[in-house]
Amino acid sequence: MSARGLLVAAPRSGSGKTTVTLALMRALRRLGLRIRGAKCGPDYIDPAFHWAATGEPSFNLDSFAMPPALLDGLASASAAQADLVLAEGSMGLFDGVRAAESRSGANADIAARYGWPVVLVIDVSGAAQSAAAVALGCRVYDPRVTIAGVILNKVASPRHRRLVEAGMEKAGLRVFGAFPREAGLVLPERHLGLVQAGETADLAARLEKLADMAEAGLDLTALMEAAGGSVPAGAERSIVPPPGQRIAIAQDEAFSFLYPHMERGWREAGAELVPFSPLADEAPPEACDCCWLPGGYPELHAGRIAAAQHFLEGTRAFARTRPVHGECGGYMVLGESLEDAEGAIHPMLGLLPVATSYRRRKLHLGYRVARLAEDGTLGRRGACLIGHEFHYASVTSEAPDEASALARIADAEGTDLGFMGHRLGHVSGSFFHLIAAGE
């Protein structure tokens, strides 16, 4: 028997989904339940907070980027090892790309696929009865999805709550409880989202405070009773093959954005993942046969990276004989230079002909479908890979051509975006975060 599930979603970003999800996770764990988290869409930060709150790993579930076998396999792995799966949405409940039904990347696809009832988090600041009209719209918009009820967030006063609840009653929507407007509950953020779980000061204390509020303000029994749905048992998992047998993976405050399902999948395929820290001036371990530099925040640590001579020299030596690949932030460090927010230009590894700037900020965001230009660390020439791009860095050097590019890419709707990334010798990289193999 697989565990039942709930999906915590909202009509829009910024409604408090993460706060409510973490509060629920921690409060239910206090009751002795084994809770597994999941994150809808391409988010590599929130799963670490789920793990901190539950003590269990959390996977991404992405209806656009993941083929059905991988999607069901990850959901099945979570549901088979839990009393309850609590999935957290991203953006708004129905926000996704224009694609085939059930493959849009929207939270609603996941709720519909597994029959998980949705708990809507409604930010009621600046509204009262009108908040019910928004929630009612969510209930009727997509008949595939069941809205179990709502949790009110940012309630200003008892009178405010009574007015909002009157609207919800009129709309026939169940209220599971409310959180007051309290700035102290806000988790710290930076330009790519929440400050990472490992960097958040007093995270354990914050989680306990959230659990206290969930116990005081939410009907936990009713929420558990509202859970439902099921996941196909024993679903097959399909992953991108590991890039090596012993993979040196950069892991610290500057390099941390590697999807949990990728790590787990590589280990299950027999690979060994060996962490090292560039910020601690560590080089890739010599015993490894491949080096992977994930995304992260190198733009915040560019001076330290430029001064880490053992890391720089060791990585250059490693790259002479073995593959080195960088994603997003890792790609920036593989390049010739990185300009920080203050305009200081720091020399990087110089292994790829690219220069980047965080001072010249521009948002790059969206799914990417890539076709590899040549055989390499990620696969054979012409192989299709699906991933995501999310960064504010600008490239200040010349764009790659077909002879030097890693891949040719398109967006989720098939629009050709030209060539992406670089490859030179054993080294490759791009702003593309790999999620799964395509068809």
Side-chain angles (χ1 to χ4, degrees), residues 81-147:
Q81 301 177 49
D83 298 312
L84 179 71
V85 177
L86 268 180
E88 178 189 350
S90 56
M91 301 187 295
L93 174 59
F94 306 106
D95 295 333
V97 298
R98 292 191 298 176
E101 187 178 44
S102 302
R103 295 298 304 273
S104 72
N107 310 175
D109 288 350
I110 301 301
R113 187 175 188 89
Y114 303 121
W116 291 340
V118 172
V119 176
L120 277 178
V121 178
I122 306 292
D123 178 349
V124 298
S125 58
Q129 289 94 330
S130 296
V134 175
L136 180 60
C138 290
R139 190 175 71 180
V140 301
Y141 182 80
D142 186 343
R144 301 177 305 155
V145 175
T146 299
I147 305 295

